[in-house]
Amino acid sequence: MRRPRRAAPGPLPALGLLLLLLGAMPGLWTVLLLRREPGTGPPLERGDRGRERGEPGTGAQKTFRALLAVPAAERGGGGRVAAGGSVPPPPAAPSPVERGIFWSRELEAQVPPGFAAEEAVAWQAAARAARVASLERGGCGRSSNRLARLSDGSRACVRYGVSPEQIQGEALSYHLAGVLGMQARLPPMALALVEARGPQWGPVREELRGSLWAEGAVVSLTRWVHNLTAVRAPAPWGAEAGGGRRPRALMAGELGGLPAAQLVELVQWSDLILFDYLTGNFDRLASNLFSRQWDPRAMRRATRNLLRGPDGGLVFLDNEAGLVHGYRLLAAWDPYNEPLLRSVCVFREGTARRVAELHRRRSAAAELRRRYRAREPLWQRLGFLSERQAELLQARVDFVHRHIAHCRAQAAAV
């Protein structure tokens, strides 16, 4: 009797077999790729020859499951692998300091712009032409000063010095900041002549009578800035500073881990301390440092005549103690201003370059005089520095230049 003929396999079992074979292909290809033929592929290092022969303990017989257990970076699917088989570290953050003593250009670009030169010139012209609509007490320092509302709707602080040399110091300090390339940190300022019957002051004649201002006195008009806030000194001059007169030095090697916002502020502080040394201004950080001998918390308090503007930048206010009044008191205040200068060993390159030029040409007073005469119509009313004061300014420029050279030598020796 004939055996019944078997039926041909149906489509479903055949399809299942095909899927099984396709599912196994990645594992087969993996094994084939891992088991190279001798002499093929790139040459092996000395320590890899045992793995090529599949010797025990070498791990040459890797399965697909074992390959999946390897991190993605080592499988070539998520990053580059260093020569030793480890993942390279992330790139280091850019250094805030270049050539050992200069703030980096990237960091300087983050400093708030402050008061633009073109805006300052426009404000000065408008303030000189405007009439004073009203005078108010408070908001501008000492009781003899006034807050003026001008006819164009703007406001200005009117400073009436205890003596004319304070207004002279305010004006000269403002223009020296221009010579040094840091005038953007000072609000625009212009001089004005008090004349109760003149067109500028006529509307406030009665207020002038109660102010005790002398007729014909020269006052300074400084642009009023809204929303200023107090500033406390950062390290090394603030709460972290050591006792006594000498603050800890600001060195390039200590800056790597600081946040960008703090570094941006330090750029401005380095200019401020250099500026106050050159002008002999004791009415800012030096006065806080002086007060620490009886008030241990003095350096933690707000810094005098230094505020933060709406854009986050520092504003160097009220420089009446600079260049004239401050130069008469150098013996008393240099024990504080000089250690502050020595505490800075990182500078804006533009500031250092201008100091070097004034040192090389011995032209500090001449440059200041040229700028002052060209930009302040009332300069003759107050006069300029005496010959002795001009010599002191040059000597202080020379001292700053030598200090920068000392910092450069220190950085090169590291």
Side-chain angles (χ1 to χ4, degrees), residues 96-104 235-237 247-255 266-267 269-271 273-274 338-349 351-352 399-414:
V97 178
E98 296 175 352
R99 286 168 287 158
I101 64 166
F102 297 129
W103 297 110
S104 70
W237 311 289
R248 184 169 55 83
L250 173 68
M251 304 298 291
E254 303 175 3
L255 303 172
L266 289 175
V267 174
W269 273 91
S270 67
D271 262 1
I273 289 176
L274 186 149
E338 187 174 319
L340 283 168
L341 175 66
R342 292 186 185 277
S343 73
V344 179
C345 250
V346 187
F347 311 89
R348 282 201 313 119
E349 186 173 5
T351 302
F399 186 88
V400 171
H401 177 72
R402 290 195 300 271
H403 172 62
I404 295 173
H406 172 73
C407 291
R408 192 193 306 270
Q410 278 189 313
V414 174

Side-chain angles (χ1 to χ4, degrees), residues 206-286:
E206 294 302 317
E207 288 93 328
L208 288 177
R209 287 178 181 173
S211 69
L212 302 180
W213 290 0
E215 178 75 9
V218 177
V219 297
S220 65
L221 303 178
T222 304
R223 177 182 162 186
W224 170 265
V225 184
H226 298 272
N227 300 324
L228 294 175
T229 55
V231 177
R232 288 172 175 79
W237 311 289
E240 295 81 0
R245 293 177 176 177
R246 297 190 177 276
R248 184 169 55 83
L250 173 68
M251 304 298 291
E254 303 175 3
L255 303 172
L258 297 181
Q262 188 172 349
L263 291 169
V264 166
E265 186 161 314
L266 289 175
V267 174
Q268 300 166 78
W269 273 91
S270 67
D271 262 1
L272 174 67
I273 289 176
L274 186 149
F275 178 61
D276 280 354
Y277 176 81
L278 287 176
T279 60
N281 190 341
F282 55 85
D283 201 15
R284 200 148 22 224
L285 192 60

Side-chain angles (χ1 to χ4, degrees), residues 19 38 64 130 174 220 248:
L19 292 175
F64 188 57
Y174 179 74
S220 65
R248 184 169 55 83

Side-chain angles (χ1 to χ4, degrees), residues 378-398:
L378 293 177
W379 75 273
Q380 285 183 307
R381 290 274 182 169
L382 292 175
F384 188 62
L385 298 175
S386 68
E387 184 177 349
R388 173 58 179 158
Q389 290 164 345
E391 292 173 354
L392 284 171
L393 174 59
Q394 185 62 52
R396 294 175 88 77
V397 166
D398 297 341

